[in-house]
Amino acid sequence: MDAKGAIQVSHLPGPALQATVDLVAFVVFGDPTRDAVFKAVDQALDGVLTDVCRSENFEAKTGQSLTVHTHGRLPARRVLIVGGGSRAEFTNPNIRDVAATVAQAAIKAGAVSVGMLLPNLGGNREALLVQMAVEGIYLGTYKFGRYLTGDDHKRPTSLKSFGFLTDLKGKKHSAAQTKSYASAIARGTAIAAAINHARDLINEPAAVITPAALAADAQAIAKKHKGSLTVTVLDPKKCAELGMGMFLAVGQGSDQEARFIHMTYKPAKKPKKRICFIGKGVTFDSGGYSLKPSQSMEDMKVDMSGAAAVISAMDAIATLGSDYEVHAVTACCENLVSGRAYKLGDVLTSMDGTTVEINNTDAEGRLTLGDAITYTRTKIQPDEMFDFATLTGACMVALGPYTAGVMSDHEQLVRSWMNVAERTGEDMWRLPLNMRLREQLKSPIADMRNTGDRFGGAITAGLFLKTFAKDTPWVHVDIAGPASLSSTRPSQPKGGTGFAVASIVEYATRH
Ligand code: BES
Ligand code: MN
Ligand code: ZN
């Protein structure tokens, strides 16, 4: 379902326990019987909550939840308590999960309206807490159900409204607080919608999400934001004129024509800087003549997750507004085998003139990105550029499936990027761009070859891209692991995750 779906999120100031909703939810940390909110609710329910917690072994562990009927003791028909773990553990991804758990429990109980009391974290974290919770609601109710034909999947969910309760002690809200709630809800809604849209693009089969389909999607997004967002789509002929020899070689084996997509957001005022987000857009990666074994190929429709992230993020950026001129660039094609496909031993000439000998056609992402980076550097000339790519299995070997690898030789830029990732709760870890590994990319007949040895595969891919980034401040994010997951958490079903959207939007819109 689209994140905008049917659930309406709002702020419900007023006495929390008197809220006239079907289900009232709150979060408990540590020993429930020592939690102030728990005590208040327990009292209203004549001690039922304590009894049920004891008999159900509720220890407020993260993700644990418990529903009790109020039997008329409160206006709400049900009370839901969710474990928040320890306060220290209540990080942004966990906040999303807790809100997702509430939304899911509400749907399971058939509730139409929910009121949730968020914990008081102190300091000025409230707005971010609300934003993360809103994201959790929409992310946790996302489902890619287009191809499921059973009745269960067609029925709309019961849940229509989700309110944040903000008063337990009779305190009045200031106008500033009300405003900050509204903007946090708007932020969370726009970001979750973009993440869920990216998930849709990733989860759709490669037969549907072709390079042309991605271009059409970018055009549809631009149409929604007439006046601030524009898009240019280049066909193979135009790319050839620009000399994109690496990008075109990867796509030449497919009957689906390649598309180079360039979206531009312009703020009303003079932009503070110009930034560009580049995404890998290989709509299917068979490996080419360096063919992948069937098992490794099975999920290769996800190889356009970087493109999905940057395209979708532009929607949220245009909705929320940015002080920057923001560009999204993605070179989209399919890596297939055919009589026209590129071969091992081919020497390609990239857009910047560098010649590259192909020793592995499965290292195609860096070829498409290399030309996208040159285009960005020379045609857009941004102050900063970032690329997002499901680039190497080696990155997953190094960091596991949940963590993206971040590479850059620009200390200041990479530090501010890592700060943003920390805030959005997207798991990223820096890997060194060790220049000594550059040796692996030497070729006897061309300026370089496209693949290194077995060791340091994520880094040699990063070093390959650095060749094209040259001196433009640049950060490379390898999202091969977290772009798509086979395990779940409440805010994330199996499949495409929309990873990087949150950080891209955060970087572009929080000044
Ligand atoms: N798209 C793959 C990387 C990938 C692997 C993404 C698993 C998501 C999950 C990429 O094009 C690729 O094939 N990389 C090769 C590079 C190698 C040939 C140097 C790899 O990782 O094996
Ligand atoms: Mn590949
Ligand atoms: Zn690939």
Side-chain angles (χ1 to χ4, degrees):
M1 189 180 65
D2 189 292
K4 278 194 187 128
I7 306 172
Q8 196 66 40
V9 178
S10 64
H11 178 202
L12 293 178
L17 291 184
Q18 295 312 312
T20 51
V21 288
D22 292 337
L23 182 144
V24 60
F26 61 94
V27 188
V28 172
F29 298 95
D31 180 358
T33 57
R34 289 171 59 185
D35 189 285
V37 180
F38 182 94
K39 279 188 202 160
V41 181
D42 193 38
Q43 207 169 21
L45 297 181
D46 301 331
V48 168
L49 215 47
T50 309
D51 291 348
V52 178
C53 279
R54 210 166 281 145
S55 64
E56 301 284 324
N57 280 325
F58 182 85
E59 289 167 321
K61 285 190 186 135
T62 319
Q64 239 186 339
S65 71
L66 204 81
T67 315
V68 291
H69 286 259
T70 61
H71 295 291
R73 292 187 189 92
L74 284 176
R77 260 210 304 165
R78 287 183 173 89
V79 164
L80 170 73
I81 56 176
V82 195
S86 69
R87 271 173 201 273
E89 271 172 351
F90 207 55
T91 54
N92 291 342
N94 288 341
I95 295 166
R96 285 199 193 99
D97 281 342
V98 162
T101 302
V102 172
Q104 285 159 7
I107 289 169
K108 220 170 129 195
V112 176
S113 58
V114 174
M116 180 180 181
L117 183 69
L118 289 172
N120 182 1
L121 296 182
N124 51 7
R125 283 183 66 193
E126 197 179 19
L128 195 57
L129 176 67
V130 172
Q131 183 197 320
M132 292 296 152
V134 174
E135 290 177 20
I137 295 164
Y138 290 123
L139 297 177
T141 50
Y142 170 83
K143 201 172 164 192
F144 187 68
R146 255 192 88 179
Y147 300 103
L148 295 166
T149 58
D151 287 344
D152 284 7
H153 306 294
K154 286 194 200 125
R155 212 178 303 131
T157 58
S158 59
L159 188 57
K160 292 282 172 275
S161 75
F162 196 117
F164 291 109
L165 310 168
T166 50
D167 188 345
L168 199 69
K169 301 184 196 81
K171 276 182 304 184
K172 266 258 187 288
H173 276 267
S174 67
Q177 252 173 320
T178 306
K179 216 177 133 197
S180 125
Y181 254 83
S183 84
I185 290 172
R187 262 189 95 74
T189 304
I191 291 167
I195 294 173
N196 283 342
H197 182 69
R199 288 174 172 182
D200 277 344
L201 293 176
I202 298 164
N203 290 331
E204 279 288 356
V208 177
I209 295 299
T210 58
L214 280 176
D217 191 77
Q219 274 155 341
I221 290 171
K223 211 171 155 191
K224 271 173 64 182
H225 304 281
K226 268 202 191 108
S228 65
L229 197 58
T230 55
V231 57
T232 310
V233 177
L234 310 181
D235 63 10
K237 191 166 160 260
K238 204 90 190 76
C239 295
E241 280 165 29
L242 289 168
M244 296 182 179
M246 295 196 297
F247 167 47
L248 289 174
V250 174
Q252 76 193 24
S254 170
D255 288 345
Q256 294 294 337
E257 267 195 7
R259 289 289 181 273
F260 190 95
I261 306 167
H262 175 187
M263 302 169 85
T264 306
Y265 167 85
K266 285 201 168 126
K269 284 183 283 180
K270 187 180 180 306
K272 285 187 180 154
K273 60 182 169 187
R274 189 181 300 144
I275 60 179
C276 184
F277 300 107
I278 304 165
K280 173 174 172 182
V282 174
T283 56
F284 188 75
D285 181 13
S286 74
Y289 277 98
S290 307
L291 196 65
K292 285 183 186 295
S294 180
Q295 257 207 332
S296 320
M297 205 191 295
E298 203 180 315
D299 205 28
M300 275 306 131
K301 65 174 184 183
V302 309
D303 216 14
M304 36 57 74
S305 298
V310 302
I311 292 171
S312 306
M314 289 303 270
D315 194 0
I317 290 166
T319 299
L320 299 171
S322 173
D323 290 348
Y324 306 149
E325 184 178 306
V326 187
H327 297 254
V329 162
T330 171
C332 304
C333 65
E334 261 188 339
N335 187 22
L336 296 189
V337 174
S338 84
R340 279 175 292 125
Y342 79 136
K343 304 171 191 73
L344 291 97
D346 282 358
V347 176
L348 313 177
T349 303
S350 66
M351 187 180 173
D352 80 344
T354 307
T355 56
V356 178
E357 181 192 11
I358 301 305
N359 58 334
N360 192 324
T361 58
D362 198 12
E364 85 296 340
R366 64 196 71 182
L367 300 171
T368 65
L369 286 165
D371 279 341
I373 288 171
T374 299
Y375 174 94
T376 300
R377 184 177 60 75
T378 61
K379 303 286 174 197
I380 301 173
Q381 302 181 332
D383 299 301
E384 300 162 354
M385 60 185 177
F386 302 82
D387 79 75
F388 305 88
T390 46
L391 204 61
T392 66
C395 194
M396 298 164 74
V397 173
L399 298 174
Y402 307 118
T403 308
V406 178
M407 284 153 261
S408 175
D409 57 1
H410 197 290
E411 291 304 320
Q412 197 199 324
L413 188 61
V414 74
R415 226 170 284 142
S416 68
W417 176 257
M418 293 305 279
N419 280 333
V420 163
E422 176 78 33
R423 262 209 310 279
T424 60
E426 290 188 315
D427 206 345
M428 305 202 193
W429 196 258
R430 197 169 169 195
L431 297 174
L433 270 184
N434 187 340
M435 281 307 282
R436 271 191 84 178
L437 275 75
R438 188 68 175 66
E439 254 175 54
Q440 294 184 18
L441 296 177
K442 277 194 177 144
S443 158
I445 67 159
D447 297 337
M448 60 176 170
R449 56 181 200 174
N450 74 329
T451 313
D453 323 330
R454 197 154 75 82
F455 297 121
I459 295 168
T460 48
L463 288 170
F464 183 92
L465 298 179
K466 169 69 191 164
T467 314
F468 301 96
K470 299 199 161 65
D471 289 333
T472 302
W474 158 79
V475 172
H476 162 56
V477 187
D478 191 330
I479 60 170
S484 170
L485 291 170
S486 53
S487 59
T488 67
R489 61 189 299 169
S491 58
Q492 210 167 79
K494 277 181 195 164
T497 59
F499 188 91
V501 170
S503 297
I504 293 170
V505 177
E506 179 73 13
Y507 191 88
T509 63
R510 181 100 62 185
H511 308 111

